[in-house]
Amino acid sequence: MATFEFNPIADFIVLKFVCPFCGEENETDALYVPTPDFSAETHHDSVNSEDYEHQCHKCDHLFEITVYNGFYGGDGEISDIDEGVSVEEDFPEEDYEEEYKSAYFDEHVRETIDVLDKIEVLDEVSKKLLYRTLYANVISSMEAYLSDRLIQKVLSSEETKRRFVESFKIYEETKFSLSEIFKKMEELDVRIKKTLRDIIYHNLPVIKNIYRSTLDIDLGDISNLMKCISIRHDIVHRNGKDKDGNLRIINKDDVLNIATSVSEFILNIENQLTDKDIDNMENPV
C-alpha cells in the first residue's frame, strides 16, 4: 500500500500512478478533500476521511483509496501499490492577485489575537492545547503566503518565469527534442505552478535561495524562524514533544511573539516587492 501527502487547504486532489499489474499510466478523477472537524481538541480527533475506488483504464484492476484530512495536514493511502504515486492539488479561488499581500496575513494575526483573548477563560489544559494549535497555524499561514506569493510573482512576467526556469536545478536536467518545444512552452505555466506547489516551504534556506535568485528578494535573517519551525514540527508530528520526549510548553506570549515575527518577516518581503514595482514603473525596460 502506497501513502501520499497533500496540502490540507486543497479542494480536490488527483492521483497519478502506473498500474503494477499491466504497466498502464493511470489518473484518477478529482477526489474531494474532506474538511477537518474544527470542533475537535486534537489533530487525531479532527481527521475526517473519504473512501474512493479507481479502476485501471487498461486491466480493470480496482484500487481502493482513502483520503484523510485534519488540523495539521492531509494524507492518504492507495491499495496494491508500493510507491510512485504523484499528487496534483486543486485549490480554492486559484487567483494569484493582490490578495496574497501582507494584508492577508495581518488579518490572520488579528484573528489569532482575538482567539487568544477569548480562550483566557478556559482551563489550563485546554489553553495549552489551543496555544500549541495557534502557534502551528501561524507557521502554516506563513508557508501558505510564501507559496502563493512566489507563484503569483513568478507567473506575473516572462522575465521572472525565465529567471526561475534558468535557476531551478530540476529544469536543468530536463531533456526534450526540438520538435517538442512549442508543446513544452504551452505547458510551462502549469508545470511551474506544480513545481512551486510541490516545494517544501518550511525549508526556509531553500525558499530564501529561490526568492533571491528568481525575484531578487532577500528574506533576511531566518535563524529564529527556523527554530520556530522546529517547534511547529514537534507540535504537529510528535504531539507537542521534542525529540527527547519533553513536552513543549507554549504560552500566550509565545503565540503573540511568533505572530509578530512572521508578520514582520512578510512585511519585509512586501516592502521589497513594492520598491521593485515602483522602480520598474519609473525605469521600464
Side-chain angles (χ1 to χ4, degrees), residues 6-161:
F6 56 88
N7 192 317
I9 67 171
D11 274 350
F12 299 91
I13 59 172
V14 174
L15 305 183
K16 295 183 178 181
F17 60 92
V18 174
C19 177
F21 300 98
C22 67
E24 180 75 2
E25 293 188 2
N26 276 253
E27 180 176 316
T28 68
D29 294 332
L31 309 178
Y32 169 72
V33 173
T35 302
D37 179 3
F38 292 107
S39 66
E41 295 185 353
T42 66
H43 168 71
H44 180 270
D45 292 337
S46 76
V47 174
N48 282 325
S49 64
E50 290 284 346
D51 293 321
Y52 299 96
E53 292 182 341
H54 172 79
Q55 193 169 35
C56 177
H57 308 315
K58 183 176 181 180
C59 70
D60 296 331
H61 182 83
L62 196 65
F63 296 91
E64 296 180 350
I65 302 168
T66 303
V67 177
Y68 304 96
N69 200 19
F71 284 159
Y72 299 137
D75 54 35
E77 53 194 27
I78 178 169
S79 65
D80 301 326
I81 296 179
D82 293 329
E83 58 183 12
V85 178
S86 65
V87 182
E88 289 188 357
E89 302 157 332
D90 182 25
F91 292 85
E93 300 178 6
E94 192 101 338
D95 182 13
Y96 303 107
E97 299 299 334
E98 296 304 300
E99 72 261 28
Y100 292 114
K101 286 196 173 183
S102 60
Y104 169 82
F105 189 82
D106 288 341
E107 180 180 352
H108 180 79
V109 171
R110 288 194 296 271
E111 291 174 350
T112 299
I113 293 173
D114 287 343
V115 171
L116 284 173
D117 292 336
K118 292 175 182 177
I119 67 176
E120 281 298 302
V121 299
L122 300 177
D123 61 88
E124 285 302 313
V125 173
S126 298
K127 283 197 292 186
K128 288 178 180 178
L129 171 64
L130 288 171
Y131 288 149
R132 291 199 298 271
T133 300
L134 289 170
Y135 190 100
N137 284 343
V138 170
I139 298 295
S140 296
S141 295
M142 179 190 72
E143 293 175 11
Y145 164 85
L146 289 170
S147 169
D148 291 333
R149 197 62 166 127
L150 182 58
I151 293 172
Q152 186 265 321
K153 295 304 292 184
V154 168
L155 296 179
S156 67
S157 72
E158 294 302 314
E159 179 185 357
T160 51
K161 278 191 282 189

Side-chain angles (χ1 to χ4, degrees), residues 158-174:
E158 294 302 314
E159 179 185 357
T160 51
K161 278 191 282 189
R162 179 169 182 169
R163 289 179 67 177
F164 174 71
V165 170
E166 291 180 349
S167 63
F168 201 64
K169 186 175 180 180
I170 190 173
Y171 291 144
E172 293 179 2
E173 301 168 352
T174 302

